[in-house]
Amino acid sequence: MTPTANPYARTYPHGPFTVVEVLGEIDLATAGFLADHLDAATSHPAPDVLVDLRHVDFFDCSGLRELCRADNRARERGGRLRLVSDTPRLHRLLRAASLFRRFPPLAHFPEPDQEPDPE
C-alpha cells in the first residue's frame, strides 16, 4: 500500500522502479513522513527504490538515518535503494557522514534496462 502524499514525500512508479520523491526540509520533525514512504517502498520482495532528493531544501542526520534503515530493509529483501541527487550540498553531507560510497548519488533517473553509472 502506498502512503498518502504529504508535504515532505510522495511515492510513484517509474518503469520498474518505485520513486520516493522527497520535498522541502527533512529533519527530526519531518523524517517520520519520509519514513512512511520508505517503509512502504521497501515492504515487498526485491524492491528497486529510487529516492529523489533533487527537491530537498534541507536534509539532516534524521533523514540519513531513515535512508540507512530503508537501505538495510531493501537489501534484506533482495532489492536495492539508490539516491538521485544533483546537489553538491547533499553530496558533501553524504561524504561527511561517510555514506557516499553506500549511496553514490545518480544525477538523474536510470533507464529501466541499463545499470546506471554513479556520478
Side-chain angles (χ1 to χ4, degrees):
M1 182 174 151
T2 302
T4 304
N6 60 57
Y8 306 101
R10 70 182 187 107
T11 301
Y12 62 90
H14 180 75
F17 311 115
T18 299
V19 176
V20 176
E21 182 180 36
V22 186
L23 309 162
E25 298 184 3
I26 302 299
D27 56 21
L28 185 59
T30 60
F33 293 105
L34 172 59
D36 291 343
H37 285 264
L38 293 173
D39 287 348
T42 59
S43 66
H44 55 83
D48 198 353
V49 180
L50 299 174
V51 181
D52 186 356
L53 298 171
R54 294 177 294 179
H55 305 287
V56 169
D57 297 322
F58 178 82
F59 203 87
D60 74 2
C61 60
S62 301
L64 292 177
R65 182 183 63 241
E66 295 304 333
L67 290 176
C68 290
R69 196 171 136 277
D71 181 53
N72 288 339
R73 189 171 179 188
R75 289 176 191 220
E76 288 169 2
R77 289 175 166 77
R80 63 185 171 178
L81 181 139
R82 294 175 288 170
L83 306 184
V84 179
S85 172
D86 55 2
T87 309
R89 176 177 27 92
L90 187 60
H91 297 184
R92 284 192 301 275
L93 175 64
L94 291 170
R95 281 189 184 94
S98 298
L99 292 172
F100 195 83
R101 284 189 162 181
R102 183 174 182 177
F103 299 112
L106 308 171
H108 48 77
F109 288 177
E111 292 297 323
D113 59 345
Q114 70 181 24
E115 278 298 306
D117 292 325
E119 295 184 15

